[in-house]
């Protein structure tokens, strides 16, 4: 049932071209410049007029929420707040019938996320669920929602569910942008035409698997690791760090690259691997200066770079290329090598990657 793969996690990483495609299927019409989301259609008037959106989630799903914040603010121009469900529910949040609250959850059963939306619902908010497990509790208590259609995820560490959540949030951002008149039909045609190519770009990114395995060998004895990115590369860095710590038990932290100088830079020495999301996008030049700061302190740098980029390649110790894409879709591609890196490091350390210690697939206790 692992389909020839050694672990469910690896199988699920390799399923991503398919799971991303399944999430988009029947929802995007690139030739017409149209996004259709049957699950939230009934609430289209609410979406046109809403003043803010609050996203609640835990763990990896919270990271997807941060990508969602970036996309919804950028394209639909609605202010978004992203909250840990466990914090939101216990701090008497200010919420009213004017708000839309989106719960993101692979399992649809996470206790804190459920309690957060129950609270928001009591206060009159409209609740949307972005969930993977059909018929689970969160979709049932939500008013509307979007299923991610990633298929069953067995590995405890979330991989394909994350990229499907990000895909669903991307569709949502463009759907709302379209409804609110924030994007033209011709712009949408351009974006959706590119979005449609993402599964094949993910396929290309997966081709670095052997290279990543070789790079991983150098890091099996690391004790700490830093993941840095800017813009939507920041949640990708957070997700990379979470994957590494949960399956390999190496301490890892994700940071916005510019925050490094406010503290974490003190950690850098020749023992410290630093992984940068250094693709060619709006923050490229800034990330390059952050890489120089790390190299000046003898940090070991692994960079995720855009195909063909030799500038960064020549500055760093190891580089992994990913295909170029519009910045809007970067998280979907840049996440792939980080999943593979964590996977190989964990396997070489002899860890049980599908069933990491102390973790459960669905956290139904608070
Ligand atoms: C990490 C991971 C967890 C979950 C979190 C929320 O790989 O799987 O951090 O993302 O427990 O779970 P769901 O999405 O089911 O609400």
């Amino acid at each position: 049932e692992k389909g020839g793969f050694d672990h469910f996690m690896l199988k699920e990483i390799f399923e991503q071209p398919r799971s991303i495609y399944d999430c988009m299927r029947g929802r995007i019409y690139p030739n017409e410049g149209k996004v259709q989301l049957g699950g939230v259609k009934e609430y289209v008037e609410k979406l046109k007029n809403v003043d803010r959106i609050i996203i609640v989630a835990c763990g990896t799903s919270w990271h997807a929420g941060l990508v969602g914040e970036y996309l919804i603010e950028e394209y639909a121009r609605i202010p978004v707040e992203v909250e840990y469900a466990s914090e939101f529910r216990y701090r008497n949040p200010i919420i009213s019938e004017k708000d839309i609250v989106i719960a993101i959850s692979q399992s649809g059963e996470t206790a804190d996320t459920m309690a957060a939306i129950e609270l928001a619902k009591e206060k009159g908010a409209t609740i949307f669920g972005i969930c993977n497990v059909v018929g689970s509790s969160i979709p049932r208590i939500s008013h509307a929602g979007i299923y991610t259609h990633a298929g069953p995820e067995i590995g405890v560490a979330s991989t394909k569910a994350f990229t499907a959540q990000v895909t669903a949030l991307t569709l949502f951002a463009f759907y709302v942008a379209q409804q609110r008149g924030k994007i033209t039909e011709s712009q949408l045609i351009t974006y959706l035409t590119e979005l449609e190519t993402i599964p094949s770009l993910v396929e290309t990114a997966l081709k670095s698997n052997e290279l990543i395995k070789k790079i991983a060998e150098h890091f099996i004895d690391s004790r700490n690791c830093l993941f840095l990115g800017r813009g939507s590369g920041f949640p990708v860095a957070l997700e990379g760090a979470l994957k590494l710590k949960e399956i390999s038990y190496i301490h890892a932290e994700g940071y916005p690259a510019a925050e490094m100088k406010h503290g974490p830079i003190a950690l850098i020495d020749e023992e410290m691997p630093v992984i940068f999301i250094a693709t060619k996008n709006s923050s490229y030049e800034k990330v390059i200066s952050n890489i120089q700061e790390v190299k000046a302190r003898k940090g070991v740098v692994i960079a995720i770079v855009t195909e063909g980029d030799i500038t960064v390649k020549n500055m760093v110790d190891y580089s992994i290329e990913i295909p170029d894409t519009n910045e809007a879709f970067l998280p979907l591609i840049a996440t792939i090598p980080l999943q593979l890196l964590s996977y190989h490091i964990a396997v070489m350390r002899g860890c049980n990657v599908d069933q990491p210690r102390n973790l459960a697939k669905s956290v139904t206790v608070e």
Side-chain angles (χ1 to χ4, degrees):
E1 67 216 335
K2 291 180 196 148
F5 290 96
D6 289 344
H7 300 95
F8 284 110
M9 182 179 175
L10 191 62
K11 170 175 177 267
E12 288 159 4
I13 290 172
F14 273 83
E15 273 169 4
Q16 288 174 109
R18 178 79 210 184
S19 49
I20 292 171
Y21 171 78
D22 285 341
C23 182
M24 306 190 303
R25 191 157 49 116
R27 292 170 167 167
I28 62 166
Y29 298 87
N31 301 335
E32 297 157 53
K34 234 166 90 181
V35 184
Q36 258 168 19
L37 288 176
V40 295
K41 200 170 66 191
E42 255 185 82
Y43 288 87
V44 67
E45 285 310 311
K46 179 105 200 174
L47 280 167
K48 279 184 186 163
N49 298 306
V50 72
D51 292 328
R52 68 162 180 174
I53 291 175
I54 301 165
I55 296 178
V56 294
C58 304
T60 286
S61 298
W62 183 78
H63 297 154
L66 293 178
V67 178
E69 171 182 30
Y70 173 91
L71 293 167
I72 296 166
E73 292 199 343
E74 177 74 21
Y75 298 102
R77 308 302 296 158
I78 304 172
V80 178
E81 287 164 35
V82 188
E83 303 244 17
Y84 283 118
S86 55
E87 287 296 315
F88 177 85
R89 61 179 288 203
Y90 288 119
R91 63 166 182 77
N92 193 15
I94 301 163
I95 190 138
S96 76
E97 58 287 338
K98 284 170 36 196
D99 296 313
I100 291 177
V101 174
I102 303 179
I104 307 175
S105 176
Q106 188 287 128
S107 62
E109 302 294 347
T110 301
D112 282 319
T113 309
M114 261 168 74
I117 57 174
E118 265 156 5
L119 175 75
K121 204 174 174 185
E122 270 166 38
K123 292 180 186 266
T126 301
I127 315 294
F128 292 170
I130 295 184
C131 297
N132 194 42
V133 177
V134 175
S136 56
S137 302
I138 290 172
R140 276 191 279 121
I141 56 182
S142 301
H143 295 107
I146 307 168
Y147 277 118
T148 49
H149 297 310
E153 190 179 65
I154 311 293
V156 164
S158 189
T159 53
K160 65 172 181 170
F162 173 74
T163 48
Q165 288 165 340
V166 171
T167 304
L169 286 158
T170 306
L171 300 177
F172 180 77
F174 284 115
Y175 176 77
V176 180
Q178 170 187 46
Q179 297 299 334
R180 289 168 75 103
K182 301 289 181 197
I183 194 165
T184 65
E185 192 183 278
S186 78
Q187 284 171 322
L188 254 180
I189 290 175
T190 309
Y191 280 111
L192 298 180
T193 304
E194 175 129 8
L195 181 58
E196 212 180 23
T197 69
I198 295 299
S200 80
L201 300 188
V202 169
E203 199 78 65
T204 307
L206 288 166
K207 296 210 169 96
S208 299
N209 187 38
E210 286 305 316
L211 167 72
I212 294 170
K213 192 171 169 182
K214 290 208 181 74
I215 295 175
E217 281 173 23
H218 299 275
F219 298 97
I220 52 177
D221 294 320
S222 296
R223 306 206 36 211
N224 294 288
C225 201
L226 213 51
F227 288 75
L228 302 175
R230 301 177 81 118
S232 63
F234 165 52
V236 172
L238 288 176
E239 176 57 11
L242 179 63
K243 270 324 62 119
L244 186 67
K245 64 188 133 185
E246 66 183 335
I247 62 169
S248 76
Y249 318 136
I250 293 173
H251 173 245
E253 280 194 75
Y255 256 95
E259 272 293 306
M260 192 177 59
K261 56 184 170 299
H262 300 288
I265 198 162
L267 291 166
I268 294 172
D269 61 14
E270 59 283 343
E271 307 261 287
M272 182 62 133
V274 185
I275 293 146
F276 274 96
I277 316 301
T279 48
K280 284 198 171 150
N281 53 46
S282 54
S283 50
Y284 179 66
E285 303 292 336
K286 300 264 177 213
V287 171
I288 288 188
S289 21
N290 297 137
I291 293 177
Q292 283 162 338
E293 287 155 15
V294 171
K295 282 315 298 173
R297 288 158 185 86
K298 303 199 164 54
V300 184
V301 175
I302 308 171
I304 309 302
V305 302
T306 303
E307 223 163 37
D309 180 351
I310 46 172
T311 310
V312 175
K313 201 172 188 159
N314 289 335
M315 292 170 55
V316 301
D317 302 85
Y318 306 94
S319 59
I320 303 166
E321 294 193 348
I322 57 171
D324 195 13
T325 183
N326 189 289
E327 193 158 358
F329 312 126
L330 171 72
L332 291 171
I333 316 287
T335 299
I336 309 297
L338 303 188
Q339 295 170 340
L340 288 169
L341 186 66
S342 297
Y343 170 80
H344 290 298
I345 292 175
V347 169
M348 289 180 210
R349 282 166 68 91
C351 301
N352 183 347
V353 293
D354 282 339
Q355 281 287 328
R357 68 187 182 203
N358 310 338
L359 292 174
K361 186 65 189 160
S362 120
V363 184
T364 52
V365 291
E366 59 173 70

